[in-house]
Amino acid sequence: MKHLSPMTCGTGEASNVNKRTLYEQDRIAVCSQKRAVGIALLVFVGLFFVAVIIAFATPLSGCSFLNGSIDTEPLTDEELLEHNRFILPSGEEFPWNKSRLPDFVRPLHYTIQIHPNLTTLDVTGWVVIQFIVLNETDFIVFHSRNLRVIDKWVKEEVEDPHRVEPHNISRLLEYPPFQQMYLELAEGSKLVPGKNYSLGIRFYTNISTELEGFYLSSYVNSQGERRYLATTHFEPTYARSAFPCFDEPQFKATFKMIIIRNQQHKSLFNMPIKKIETVYYGYHMELWRDEFEESVEMSTYLVAFVICDYESISNKTTKGVEVAIHTPPGLLPQASFALQSAIQVMEYYDEFFGVPYPLPKQDLIAIPDFGAGAMENFGLITYRETSILYDSNESSSAAHQWVAVVLAHELAHQWFGNLVTMKWWNDLWLNEGFASFIEYVGVDHIRPEWKMMEQFVIEKTQPALALDALGSSHPISVEVQDPREIEAIFDTISYNKGAAILRMLESVLGLNVLRHGLTDYLNEHKFDNADTKDLWDALSTSTNETMKVKTVMDTWTLQMGYPLIEVRCENNTVKATQERFLLNPADNETGVELIQSPFKYKWYVPLTYVTDAKPRTMQLVWMNMNEFTMPYRAEWIKFNVNQTGFYRVHYQGKLWDSLVKTLLSNPFVLSPTDRASLIDDAFTLCKAGVVDASVPLEIAKYLMKETDYVPWATALEHFRSWSKILYERQAHRLLMQFVLKLIEPIYKRVGWADEGSHLMKVHLLLSYSSSSLHTIRLLRSEILSTAILCDNKEAVKEATTKFNNWMQKGARVPPNLREVVYSAGIKYGGVVGWDHCWAQYNASRIPSEKKLLLKAMGSAADPWLLQQYLDACLSRDVVRPQDVRTVLAVVASNPSGRLLAWRHLRAYWMNFQNLFGEGSFTMGSLITAVVSHFSSEFDYVEVTNFFSDVDVGSGARALNQSLEMIRLNIRWLQNNENQIEDWLRKYLST
Ligand code: BES
Ligand code: ZN
């Protein structure tokens, strides 16, 4: 029990005990009877608080135990205040009843000293926070989580600190559910506006063993020894668990950091080191004290520090910013791509944003245990190893691209998010949507041949369109209060829809107008906060007010969903109407009808089109929350050019026929992204029951001529989704035959060679499409994997031979073939193949290779192997917690593993909750990965029943969305199964 953080209040500790004992099953928790009674009491009090909070958080339900009567009226603010009393275990009332901090105490500067012990996990620290008050007050409320306060003081800030006495403090209360502390001054003592004060706190805590706050990570070095490091992850609300602070994004302040460490470690902070001294702790104990330069004004969630024994390489940008990559010893050769790209991207962003990067250095560091993909801490960006390390001999093109994308994403945040920060988390999309758009612009700049803006539609727009057609989606701008709600919006809507609507805006404004607007926005709000309106205002100005950007964009950010544009041709005119697109229009369960929109689900739609007359010249008309009519005299017309708009198009009658005809006869007059958008719309309209299955099936026939990556990726994604739903039906076999027939020509063209002269051949063969070497590699990997998915004999033989040669003779598999070779080897091989991959997984020090193996091992056909794999995830020494989600997801997407994964999720729900924290964004993605492909009434009932009495924490919305997807699958299967079967039978027999 030594490492548990001793809290002043009990509920936090109780849950901490749970986390450890459940996870580390061999650990025995021992405690005295008195203590047990105490804990029981605390748990009871904790439950009471939770009940009160739930009642408070859902006032609309009219929870009757709050006001004693069954009442469906929402409570008024006064009533809420009256009942919203938080009683602490001591019987005292916690006087502050909001999850947000008061805004009249504003921090200006933090001095933080941390002394962590990486062996015992003890941390002692102190922090001095200088602040001003805007209103007279006798209390301060700030954030703190799992910190034990040892000493505290409040002083007026004067030149000579010895001349003032600290204020008398009457009490310090902690309220764990809000992660807040309330410090009250003794009677008669007041803080007055206009003066500066400082709050000093000495505290004790532990280095966390989860993936948030100030936490422990480790790696095994080349000698096989485990080495430890301590690192931070604070976004969105974990800075408060490392030091007491005002942990809301609008409380920007400057930070000065001091870290006490061992000689064998070094330490890193957002800013460069200023001074290193030795300090003595008792006899013979020599420690080092690193003092860092003071930071710029920034939010608490962007503070970061790391204590490790890493190696690094560095270089300077043309503007003199020192950029360094830090990795565990031995991995530096895999860091050179990141270093070179980081410098290129930073130089480009300096120019693009028109505002120089404001810090003297930029450190990028690989962290072996990391919950997200990467984190944009100002000047000290932390990365999962697979997001930063790349080995040109061992990693695939997809892994290569991923590293570039993550780098460009986090670097974009240095301006967008760090320099200018959202006022509150309801505008998270400003951070994440923006970085998700600019990352592609950034990578496109350094690697134009990767065709990033084409890939944008499959990676960003299409997944967002798929999710946002659910009634259980949410608007981009969303009210959030507590940490769980905040965590839940790190989702496809904030990221992908945010990115997609910015791309749409860019397509009408042009990149230059957008860029000028951004420069103004950044200059106006730098080192400060802003909201969505501020961005729209700056962009309107940059159009010389020719476009009311806010009026247009509000319809995209403040209401959920998007329009289906229906186009028909009558008397030589084209008429376009708009209506909200829903996959499940008749679904009462999502409460779709109840969710009103301020815009009545109408949008300002930039309707773009190309026609056969000018197939490469995009034309634009605006549908201003209404319809549109124009003369039409073309052979064909394609709307939503390159799928840059966030809407779908339903072509009626001859408009559709002429497009299908064009696709089948002369597909390449349409751009790759236009072809992809037609495929995506056709399949999705079929999913919604707007068109029947023959529509996507008919257009799919053109794929036999397709040679480009983006349309193929779109089509194969839809076929995979059909395959999951049809898996247990007769039509499945026919579907596989059909897909095999479609891919046959391209399968022959891409071949099995990853490198060498064959490439040239492929290059020539595909030269009439817009493919590059890079996209051919991505395409090859898709096509070969599909051939394996469809059990194509020749492909299986080819892949398993390569697998066996690798396993038995150590023959090298080219990086871009590894995914398909490993997964085929696992799927068709037995225990021996699996064991080989497991051994390789444990031995490899190449993160991209480990990730491939981790995914491949989930494709086993043998249930025993899959079960063993799932069980391995229960022990953190066997599978790192950061990888558990991947394992569960790959097993669930394997038809032989889906029921095993579902049982596993249920059986160990508490473990997962303790592992990731109920408030973590991971919980939602676990649910979606495991249940959203179910398609039977029985499974639906099972899922509903299981979750009906489980607290899903941040996963609540993801659960609703998954349930809606299951209902959708059930309905789709009922309505389409027979027709698909008939169509396929007929087509395949001719
Ligand atoms: N700010 C996020 C990291 C983050 C994610 C913090 C979730 C808290 C919760 C970071 O900028 C990010 O978005 N990372 C992405 C990678 C990116 C390339 C999409 C991630 O972690 O997946
Ligand atoms: Zn981000």
Side-chain angles (χ1 to χ4, degrees):
M1 304 289 279
K2 186 157 172 280
H3 298 154
L4 296 178
S5 83
M7 303 257 304
T8 40
C9 300
T11 46
E13 182 172 5
S15 67
N16 214 345
V17 170
N18 261 338
K19 279 190 186 181
R20 288 182 157 264
T21 45
L22 270 168
Y23 199 69
E24 294 169 21
Q25 285 167 341
D26 53 351
R27 190 182 287 254
I28 300 170
V30 185
C31 64
S32 70
Q33 195 185 11
K34 224 162 113 194
R35 192 172 168 127
V37 172
I39 289 177
L41 209 78
L42 293 179
V43 168
F44 176 76
V45 172
L47 285 175
F48 174 71
F49 283 137
V50 170
V52 172
I53 287 180
I54 290 169
F56 176 45
T58 54
L60 285 176
S61 66
C63 260
S64 55
F65 75 96
L66 264 181
N67 48 11
S69 66
I70 307 267
D71 186 358
T72 49
E73 287 291 307
L75 296 174
T76 64
D77 282 350
E78 288 84 310
E79 280 170 329
L80 270 176
L81 272 179
E82 195 181 314
H83 296 291
N84 179 23
R85 299 172 59 214
F86 305 123
I87 312 296
L88 301 173
S90 62
E92 274 177 292
E93 181 176 343
F94 191 75
W96 185 254
N97 57 16
K98 297 183 182 73
S99 59
R100 297 284 302 271
L101 299 181
D103 58 6
F104 51 79
V105 177
R106 307 195 68 90
L108 300 171
H109 175 73
Y110 292 73
T111 308
I112 307 166
Q113 176 171 300
I114 296 274
H115 176 193
N117 183 323
L118 271 59
T119 313
T120 64
L121 306 190
D122 292 308
V123 181
T124 50
W126 60 252
V127 53
V128 178
I129 310 172
Q130 291 166 8
F131 62 93
I132 50 163
V133 297
L134 304 180
N135 299 342
E136 185 176 283
T137 179
D138 61 358
F139 67 89
I140 306 168
V141 189
F142 54 91
H143 284 113
S144 166
R145 186 176 182 234
N146 291 356
L147 306 176
R148 176 158 56 105
V149 173
I150 296 167
D151 196 7
K152 70 236 172 232
W153 67 94
V154 176
K155 269 189 190 170
E156 192 185 326
E157 280 278 297
V158 288
E159 268 181 27
D160 178 4
H162 300 296
R163 279 188 36 224
V164 287
E165 284 297 308
H167 285 264
N168 283 333
I169 294 170
S170 56
R171 52 184 186 154
L172 177 68
L173 302 174
E174 179 173 14
Y175 186 57
F178 280 180
Q179 303 164 1
Q180 289 174 350
M181 280 193 175
Y182 180 96
L183 181 147
E184 192 175 71
L185 301 181
E187 225 177 306
S189 201
K190 293 252 184 280
L191 306 177
V192 296
K195 286 192 176 168
N196 283 14
Y197 295 93
S198 59
L199 160 68
I201 294 181
R202 227 154 53 78
F203 61 94
Y204 169 85
T205 187
N206 290 119
I207 300 178
S208 165
T209 48
E210 285 145 42
L211 301 173
E212 61 210 22
F214 182 39
Y215 71 93
L216 190 74
S217 179
S218 67
Y219 66 90
V220 177
N221 68 12
S222 50
Q223 285 89 52
E225 299 153 345
R226 190 164 285 278
R227 293 273 180 253
Y228 292 89
L229 59 141
T231 182
T232 57
H233 180 93
F234 290 165
E235 191 183 15
T237 56
Y238 301 107
R240 61 192 68 171
S241 57
F243 58 94
C245 57
F246 295 79
D247 199 8
E248 294 184 7
Q250 84 280 19
F251 290 128
K252 285 199 174 184
T254 51
F255 293 81
K256 182 148 188 66
M257 186 79 199
I258 295 154
I259 293 176
I260 312 285
R261 58 162 175 96
N262 279 331
Q263 205 170 349
Q264 68 266 34
H265 287 131
K266 63 178 171 186
S267 73
L268 294 162
F269 174 60
N270 303 81
M271 296 295 289
I273 213 151
K274 184 178 176 184
K275 193 160 82 183
I276 304 177
E277 287 172 349
T278 46
V279 284
Y280 292 92
Y281 270 71
Y283 289 114
H284 311 302
M285 202 24 188
E286 197 182 55
L287 294 175
W288 295 71
R289 178 186 184 276
D290 295 341
E291 187 183 326
F292 294 86
E293 302 281 354
E294 182 174 320
S295 80
V296 296
E297 298 258 337
M298 58 190 260
S299 305
T300 43
Y301 80 90
L302 293 168
V303 172
F305 40 92
V306 182
I307 294 109
C308 61
D309 63 352
Y310 278 13
E311 293 173 349
S312 66
I313 44 169
S314 69
N315 209 335
K316 277 199 162 91
T317 67
T318 46
K319 295 251 176 72
V321 177
E322 177 91 19
V323 180
I325 317 279
H326 305 258
T327 73
L331 300 187
L332 271 187
Q334 296 179 58
S336 47
F337 172 67
L339 180 61
Q340 178 205 349
S341 310
I343 288 178
Q344 284 176 310
V345 172
M346 281 186 67
E347 286 171 351
Y348 175 61
Y349 285 165
D350 257 348
E351 176 198 318
F352 181 85
F353 290 121
V355 180
Y357 173 72
L359 307 184
K361 63 98 173 173
Q362 179 70 269
D363 284 312
L364 298 89
I365 184 163
I367 306 291
D369 298 274
F370 199 82
M375 174 65 212
E376 70 265 25
N377 318 299
F378 219 165
L380 175 50
I381 310 179
T382 41
Y383 291 82
R384 199 181 260 238
E385 290 185 333
T386 43
S387 307
I388 188 167
L389 301 177
Y390 166 73
D391 183 329
S392 57
N393 289 321
E394 307 285 336
S395 316
S396 66
S397 299
H400 195 185
Q401 182 174 311
W402 177 244
V403 170
V405 165
V406 183
L407 272 172
H409 178 102
E410 306 310 337
L411 289 172
H413 276 312
Q414 306 299 304
W415 284 259
F416 231 87
N418 299 9
L419 186 60
V420 179
T421 311
M422 72 247 140
K423 288 194 173 116
W424 178 245
W425 297 106
N426 64 319
D427 275 327
L428 175 72
W429 87 277
L430 267 187
N431 262 13
E432 297 304 347
F434 194 86
S436 301
F437 168 56
I438 291 294
E439 72 193 31
Y440 272 54
V441 177
V443 178
D444 193 45
H445 177 78
I446 61 165
R447 298 277 158 156
E449 72 281 11
W450 286 1
K451 310 232 176 277
M452 295 307 289
M453 295 332 262
E454 282 184 17
Q455 292 194 54
F456 188 94
V457 304
I458 47 173
E459 299 297 334
K460 307 289 176 187
T461 314
Q462 291 177 6
L465 286 168
L467 185 72
D468 206 25
L470 298 178
S472 49
S473 182
H474 68 87
I476 281 186
S477 281
V478 59
E479 275 295 306
V480 286
Q481 288 295 329
D482 60 52
R484 277 182 179 201
E485 289 172 346
I486 297 168
E487 194 96 17
I489 54 169
F490 285 81
D491 67 357
T492 306
I493 296 298
S494 302
Y495 278 74
N496 297 40
K497 184 178 179 181
I501 65 162
L502 288 168
R503 166 105 163 99
M504 173 165 74
L505 185 61
E506 182 255 327
S507 76
V508 292
L509 295 183
L511 194 59
N512 250 341
V513 173
L514 180 80
R515 201 166 63 76
H516 280 121
L518 293 177
T519 305
D520 292 345
Y521 168 86
L522 291 170
N523 273 321
E524 190 164 334
H525 303 284
K526 61 185 169 198
F527 304 113
D528 205 346
N529 297 79
D531 58 21
T532 301
K533 180 178 174 303
D534 294 320
L535 177 63
W536 299 152
D537 287 349
L539 293 177
S540 283
T541 309
S542 78
T543 68
N544 292 325
E545 304 297 335
T546 54
M547 181 173 158
K548 296 273 170 260
V549 177
K550 180 172 181 306
T551 310
V552 171
M553 295 310 284
D554 275 355
T555 65
W556 297 97
T557 57
L558 300 180
Q559 64 185 344
M560 61 171 153
Y562 58 87
L564 174 63
I565 310 295
E566 207 169 294
V567 287
R568 67 183 75 235
C569 182
E570 283 162 10
N571 308 327
N572 292 333
T573 57
V574 173
K575 184 170 179 193
T577 55
Q578 60 164 297
E579 194 188 353
R580 179 183 182 191
F581 178 65
L582 279 171
L583 284 168
N584 252 345
D587 190 1
N588 297 326
E589 312 235 349
T590 42
V592 167
E593 269 121 87
L594 298 177
I595 304 172
Q596 305 274 331
S597 153
F599 305 101
K600 302 197 165 53
Y601 294 111
K602 296 286 178 210
W603 287 262
Y604 282 88
V605 183
L607 187 65
T608 54
Y609 60 91
V610 281
T611 67
D612 59 307
K614 287 187 190 151
R616 290 286 176 260
T617 312
M618 181 181 95
Q619 318 215 39
L620 164 74
V621 291
W622 280 95
M623 290 175 78
N624 296 335
M625 311 213 2
N626 55 18
E627 313 177 340
F628 182 80
T629 310
M630 65 175 181
Y632 175 66
R633 248 170 261 102
E635 202 46 49
W636 54 261
I637 183 163
K638 159 74 178 56
F639 290 95
N640 195 6
V641 178
N642 294 332
Q643 210 172 16
T644 46
F646 200 72
Y647 51 87
R648 294 194 185 279
V649 184
H650 179 207
Y651 300 85
Q652 298 280 10
K654 81 172 199 202
L655 292 182
W656 179 243
D657 298 340
S658 58
L659 278 172
V660 177
K661 214 170 98 196
T662 308
L663 262 187
L664 291 171
S665 60
N666 187 13
F668 303 109
V669 331
L670 292 160
S671 70
T673 36
D674 272 335
R675 304 193 300 268
S677 106
L678 287 172
I679 297 168
D680 190 39
D681 282 356
F683 273 91
T684 311
L685 291 177
C686 165
K687 205 166 184 184
V690 177
V691 300
D692 67 45
S694 66
V695 171
L697 287 169
E698 285 295 333
I699 78 159
K701 290 197 243 165
Y702 107 88
L703 288 166
M704 284 193 264
K705 293 190 178 159
E706 186 55 82
T707 53
D708 252 300
Y709 171 59
V710 171
W712 266 119
T714 306
L716 294 176
E717 180 63 26
H718 283 290
F719 279 125
R720 275 193 294 269
S721 139
W722 278 26
S723 151
K724 279 184 189 166
I725 303 174
L726 291 170
Y727 188 71
E728 291 159 13
R729 327 296 280 193
Q730 209 170 12
H732 189 259
R733 197 176 40 85
L734 299 170
L735 179 68
M736 294 297 100
Q737 282 176 29
F738 178 59
V739 174
L740 270 183
K741 193 164 171 165
L742 294 179
I743 64 166
E744 200 181 307
I746 192 73
Y747 174 81
K748 290 204 174 111
R749 284 180 173 192
V750 292
W752 280 84
D754 189 25
E755 269 144 16
S757 57
H758 282 275
L759 252 188
M760 284 316 293
K761 205 166 121 204
V762 170
H763 210 37
L764 284 176
L765 277 169
L766 301 186
S767 57
Y768 58 90
S769 80
S770 68
S771 300
S772 66
L773 212 66
H774 180 75
T775 52
I776 288 176
R777 286 177 168 158
L778 298 178
L779 174 66
R780 179 184 292 115
S781 178
E782 278 276 342
I783 297 296
L784 300 185
S785 300
T786 306
I788 300 290
L789 181 82
C790 299
D791 289 320
N792 174 280
K793 282 211 181 66
E794 189 196 314
V796 171
K797 187 160 164 258
E798 190 78 53
T800 48
T801 309
K802 285 188 168 25
F803 184 84
N804 290 335
N805 285 342
W806 170 63
M807 181 167 67
Q808 287 151 10
K809 302 180 207 144
R812 179 175 181 275
V813 184
N816 282 295
L817 298 185
R818 287 186 194 177
E819 184 175 357
V820 60
V821 168
Y822 293 172
S823 46
I826 291 280
K827 182 175 171 188
Y828 299 98
V831 177
V832 182
W834 203 93
D835 284 348
H836 179 71
C837 286
W838 181 248
Q840 292 293 319
Y841 171 73
N842 285 308
S844 173
R845 287 201 79 200
I846 298 163
S848 61
E849 183 73 0
K850 284 178 97 87
K851 184 174 166 185
L852 272 188
L853 289 162
L854 196 73
K855 285 182 158 181
M857 286 185 287
S859 55
D862 182 340
W864 174 76
L865 283 172
L866 292 170
Q867 187 58 47
Q868 169 180 295
Y869 199 26
L870 291 171
D871 290 344
C873 293
L874 296 171
S875 169
R876 69 192 311 158
D877 298 331
V878 185
V879 174
R880 288 187 193 263
Q882 64 169 13
D883 294 325
V884 167
R885 180 174 45 156
T886 307
V887 175
L888 224 71
V890 287
V891 174
S893 72
N894 171 355
S896 319
R898 61 161 78 152
L899 292 178
L900 298 179
W902 169 222
R903 185 178 62 185
H904 194 76
L905 183 72
R906 280 177 294 171
Y908 296 101
W909 178 260
M910 282 305 288
N911 289 48
F912 293 123
Q913 201 158 58
N914 290 317
L915 184 55
F916 298 115
E918 62 196 2
S920 141
F921 63 92
T922 309
M923 294 311 284
S925 64
L926 277 183
I927 299 174
T928 310
V930 174
V931 308
S932 63
H933 46 258
F934 284 148
S935 56
S936 79
E937 202 66 50
F938 179 83
D939 290 333
Y940 180 75
V941 173
E942 275 216 319
V943 176
T944 318
N945 286 347
F946 174 72
F947 286 110
S948 64
D949 55 358
V950 161
D951 177 8
V952 291
S954 285
R957 193 182 290 116
L959 172 62
N960 271 339
Q961 291 167 348
S962 301
L963 288 171
E964 191 180 345
M965 287 185 221
I966 306 176
R967 292 196 296 275
L968 186 64
N969 295 344
I970 297 172
R971 209 201 58 206
W972 183 84
L973 192 62
Q974 275 165 1
N975 295 341
N976 292 282
E977 184 182 2
N978 292 340
Q979 204 205 357
I980 292 176
E981 198 178 326
D982 292 347
W983 192 96
L984 289 172
R985 211 177 284 287
K986 212 156 127 206
Y987 179 78
L988 293 167
S989 64
T990 56

